[in-house]
Amino acid sequence: STMISTWRFAEATQKHRDQWVGSGQPYYGGEWAYKFFLGALEEECGDKTKIDMVQLTTMLQASIIQRLDAMERKAWVENAYFHSDRKGLETPLKFRVDVDDRRENGKLGITAVMQGGLVVEKAGVGVTMLSKKLNPRMAKQMAHNHPALKEYLATGEVNDLSMWVNGISCIVHPVNPKAPTVHFNYRHFQITKDDGSVVAWWFGGGQDLTPIYLFEEDAHHLHSLLKRACDKHNPEYYPKFKKWADEYFYHTARKEARGIGGIFFDDLDSGSKENIFSFVKDCADTFEPSYFPILQKRSEEKYGETEKKWQALRHGRYVEFNLVYDRGTKFVRT
């Protein structure tokens, strides 16, 4: 319900250069957000991987906010290739950023949303950090893919486990039907005992592209950059995680792929936390160079009512997939 209400008030106001305003306390950019989350980690600041993950998620979120704000500002000023004649906007559209500080309940989040722009129809990029007791049902479900957790649960000790997770999630739906929808998320989980010792940890995430109209060069651009990031760490990663994405982002009922795929992985815990984090960071750092050049180029393409109708139909398919198959939706229901 919070996300729904946030979408309804997507246009932000800016009191000064570095401040975005939502319903709570102001947001001042990536460095501020990094320190905001670190404040809830003060007792665990010795865990370098947690700190590095928080820095990655908050700084990437800030960069996306700034870049899409800049694209909207440029489009509003130039107003050269948009059919909507600024849509009645008196000033360029900006992100609305809501800061959720419920650290007493183990919950912190920063959600940035934009709706009704000249380049962006809807966009959201959120960073969350959650720390909570792990209920037996969720612990049992997670143990399927984590032998150490399964072994610990076999001792009968269930009530002394806690879960910590930090992640970033982003989706962009452009106005122009020729420009593709993009989605990515990256997350880090840790399961600990009451004494702070780690029972299990893992990373998950990925990025995928959903064009309304296919351009082969865009597909090649995305996949070549994702492959480069994967190959830097393990030559088996790209074919494995690309296949996983192709299978995961498949609409079984419709017998069609959601888009042109990308990479997808979950429960990644083989090797050291530091090495796996380095891989995740390289993948996350691929997002901006893999997507923004495509968004800028395709947003300048001409389109008409026929293309907008096709876009609406494809968006309907996207919603179907998220409601029925998406892991994030299923996780929230747990």
Side-chain angles (χ1 to χ4, degrees):
S1 60
T2 301
M3 179 61 77
I4 294 173
S5 62
T6 302
W7 279 108
R8 292 174 181 165
F9 303 98
E11 184 174 355
T13 59
Q14 188 176 20
K15 292 184 177 178
H16 61 75
R17 185 172 60 87
D18 295 318
Q19 177 178 319
W20 288 258
V21 177
S23 60
Q25 65 188 97
Y27 167 83
Y28 297 97
E31 288 291 344
W32 176 89
Y34 174 50
K35 294 174 182 177
F36 168 73
F37 282 102
L38 282 188
L41 278 178
E42 52 190 1
E43 295 181 1
E44 307 164 290
C45 60
D47 191 322
K48 186 176 184 301
T49 305
K50 282 186 177 182
I51 294 172
D52 288 345
M53 188 68 184
V54 168
Q55 184 176 41
L56 170 64
T57 56
T58 52
M59 298 307 288
L60 180 55
Q61 179 189 46
S63 183
I64 293 168
I65 290 171
Q66 291 169 351
R67 290 191 68 157
L68 287 177
D69 273 356
M71 289 186 74
E72 284 293 334
R73 186 165 57 250
K74 183 175 184 289
W76 189 88
V77 171
E78 295 182 356
N79 198 34
Y81 48 83
F82 298 96
H83 298 208
S84 52
D85 192 25
R86 293 180 178 168
K87 296 183 177 179
L89 295 173
E90 296 181 1
T91 59
L93 192 70
K94 291 181 58 62
F95 270 98
R96 172 193 171 101
V97 184
D98 287 297
V99 179
D100 182 10
D101 188 348
R102 288 180 286 168
R103 67 186 68 204
E104 68 278 5
N105 297 322
K107 300 177 181 178
L108 290 95
I110 299 176
T111 303
V113 293
M114 176 185 285
Q115 178 174 316
L118 299 177
V119 178
V120 174
E121 182 177 286
K122 287 185 180 181
V125 52
V127 174
T128 57
M129 190 170 77
L130 175 66
S131 181
K132 60 180 286 187
K133 294 294 290 185
L134 195 60
N135 66 61
R137 181 166 60 90
M138 187 177 289
K140 185 177 180 180
Q141 180 180 341
M142 291 177 170
H144 286 300
N145 297 313
H146 301 284
L149 179 57
K150 186 174 184 179
E151 182 179 342
Y152 185 78
L153 293 179
T155 67
E157 298 292 336
V158 178
N159 297 320
D160 68 336
L161 293 178
S162 295
M163 175 184 72
W164 178 91
V165 59
N166 170 233
I168 180 171
S169 181
C170 175
I171 187 167
V172 180
H173 291 291
V175 171
N176 194 315
K178 303 293 181 66
T181 290
V182 72
H183 158 264
F184 80 83
N185 68 77
Y186 295 100
R187 55 199 175 273
H188 176 40
F189 281 81
Q190 289 194 22
I191 308 299
T192 59
K193 295 188 286 187
D194 286 343
D195 63 7
S197 58
V198 178
V199 176
W201 60 267
W202 63 91
F203 289 87
Q207 176 182 338
D208 67 287
L209 199 69
T210 305
I212 308 301
Y213 288 90
L214 296 173
F215 295 93
E216 186 175 342
E217 63 188 279
D218 294 350
H220 181 268
H221 176 71
L222 168 73
H223 280 278
S224 63
L225 291 183
L226 289 174
K227 184 177 186 301
R228 184 186 305 168
C230 290
D231 288 351
K232 180 179 175 181
H233 297 269
N234 188 325
E236 296 181 0
Y237 275 175
Y238 177 73
K240 178 179 179 181
F241 298 152
K242 178 187 180 301
K243 183 174 185 291
W244 199 340
D246 290 341
E247 293 173 350
Y248 175 69
F249 295 111
Y250 185 77
H251 196 313
T252 306
R254 297 284 187 182
K255 294 183 172 54
E256 64 183 29
R258 188 173 84 169
I260 61 169
I263 60 169
F264 178 81
F265 58 90
D266 205 358
D267 302 309
L268 195 59
D269 60 1
S270 57
S272 69
K273 279 194 295 184
E274 293 76 15
N275 288 342
I276 301 301
F277 169 76
S278 178
F279 163 66
V280 170
K281 184 179 186 305
D282 284 339
C283 290
D285 287 345
T286 295
F287 169 70
E288 293 185 80
S290 71
Y291 183 64
F292 282 114
I294 295 174
L295 177 61
Q296 181 64 51
K297 181 177 181 179
R298 300 305 170 196
S299 291
E300 299 180 18
E301 298 266 354
K302 292 183 178 180
Y303 66 91
E305 190 61 30
T306 298
E307 288 83 1
K308 290 298 289 183
K309 287 181 178 179
W310 178 242
Q311 181 188 51
L313 187 148
R314 298 308 305 170
H315 282 176
R317 294 282 207 273
Y318 201 96
V319 172
E320 286 179 357
F321 179 90
N322 284 354
L323 290 175
V324 178
Y325 303 108
D326 184 73
R327 284 192 176 196
T329 304
K330 292 178 180 179
F331 179 78
V332 171
R333 293 171 182 164
T334 303

